[in-house]
Amino acid sequence: MSTISFTIDGKKVEGSPGELVIEVARRYCIEIPSLCHNEALKPFGYCRVCVVEITRDGRSRITPSCTSRIEEGMEVVTTSEKILQQRRGRLELMLARAPEAPRIQKMAAEMGVTPPPPDKEADNCILCGLCVRTCKEVVGVNALSFQKRGDTRVVGLLLHDGSTTCIGCGTCAYICPTGVIEMKDDGNSRIIWNNKFVLRACKSCGVSWIPEEQIKHICEISTTPPEYFDYCPDCRP
């Protein structure tokens, strides 16, 4: 298999055709901060915290490393004052939207970002799209969507004839970088996105652990029999 040679911060590195700059950098233990990137998802490039400076044929530009494919002979710089200024600017905006998010607070503090005045409209969602993309690309349900535009843009359930396709799996809550998506398991039910889902109890330990709607979805897209979920992962024979 052919390889592509280029440099990151003056260090010679190699990658495979089609790889992203951020993926190669991390393989070589070169840290590039990011919020909206996940290797299981298609490149999105919204948060722009992962910007780097890329030079090709004598021309340089600052661009997200999570959407930039590697090329032979390219030069990548991950840290400079110009890069840090852009990252700080993005983090200031996200800190205003999500002032209570520990992950955003930590990244902002590490880059010397001073918390801006509280935004009265802050809802702790930075619109990174991880939940929307994961629901569509990984779970295969497409229950979430971006809604409205501009300053009023939000993430919410995508309704079809007044109903939702959400299966209550909670993947969106697990992947959310700010923890804004609330999910609560109470007895044999789970509440998420203001919807209640019945949980199946393990026949061995009795713990309610997976929504019946999620079981139904998995059985529809695979050959897994419903009785497979009668036992939780800890008790499964």
Side-chain angles (χ1 to χ4, degrees):
M1 183 177 181
S2 60
T3 59
I4 294 176
S5 298
F6 63 106
T7 64
I8 301 180
D9 294 337
K11 180 179 181 179
K12 185 176 180 180
V13 297
E14 292 184 342
S16 301
E19 275 195 291
L20 298 167
V21 170
I22 194 170
E23 295 172 344
V24 177
R26 289 180 173 176
R27 191 166 63 248
Y28 279 86
C29 298
I30 300 171
E31 182 58 32
I32 298 177
S34 70
L35 286 166
C36 71
H37 176 68
N38 187 288
E39 293 181 356
L41 304 173
K42 297 176 183 177
F44 191 57
Y46 174 80
C47 78
R48 299 187 70 85
V49 176
C50 72
V51 291
V52 295
E53 186 171 5
I54 295 178
T55 301
R56 300 186 183 93
D57 301 322
R59 295 183 178 182
S60 299
R61 66 189 181 104
I62 293 181
T63 184
S65 59
C66 69
T67 58
S68 301
R69 305 288 178 183
I70 63 174
E71 293 182 13
E72 185 70 32
M74 71 191 306
E75 299 175 7
V76 179
V77 175
T78 66
T79 304
S80 70
E81 190 53 39
K82 286 193 299 183
I83 293 169
L84 291 176
Q85 283 181 357
Q86 288 209 16
R87 289 177 182 169
R88 290 182 188 122
R90 292 298 295 178
L91 280 168
E92 283 180 4
L93 293 174
M94 283 184 276
L95 196 57
R97 289 192 61 94
E100 300 173 5
R103 186 173 174 186
I104 307 297
Q105 292 173 344
K106 182 174 183 294
M107 291 182 71
E110 290 174 346
M111 293 189 196
V113 175
T114 302
D119 186 344
K120 294 181 180 179
E121 304 299 323
D123 59 3
N124 287 312
C125 174
I126 59 172
L127 300 174
C128 67
L130 277 172
C131 58
V132 176
R133 293 181 291 140
T134 300
C135 186
K136 180 180 180 179
E137 298 175 25
V138 178
V139 182
V141 173
N142 198 26
L144 299 172
S145 70
F146 288 111
Q147 300 171 3
K148 301 181 182 180
R149 295 183 178 181
D151 294 339
T152 61
R153 197 181 197 199
V154 295
V155 171
L157 288 178
L158 182 63
L159 299 179
H160 304 272
D161 298 325
S163 62
T164 176
T165 56
C166 179
I167 58 176
C169 66
T171 306
C172 56
Y174 294 128
I175 202 169
C176 176
T178 65
V180 68
I181 301 175
E182 295 183 358
M183 181 177 72
K184 181 180 180 181
D185 287 359
D186 185 10
N188 67 341
S189 64
R190 169 176 295 173
I191 298 176
I192 185 170
W193 294 106
N194 295 320
N195 283 280
K196 181 178 286 189
F197 298 87
V198 175
L199 299 174
R200 180 172 296 190
C202 173
K203 286 187 176 181
S204 179
C205 67
V207 172
S208 298
W209 68 285
I210 185 171
E212 292 289 349
E213 287 296 323
Q214 184 177 358
I215 294 174
K216 179 181 177 182
H217 172 69
I218 294 174
C219 293
E220 287 177 349
I221 64 173
S222 69
T223 58
T224 308
E227 55 269 22
Y228 176 80
F229 302 97
D230 287 343
Y231 297 91
C232 71
D234 293 334
C235 299
R236 191 168 292 139

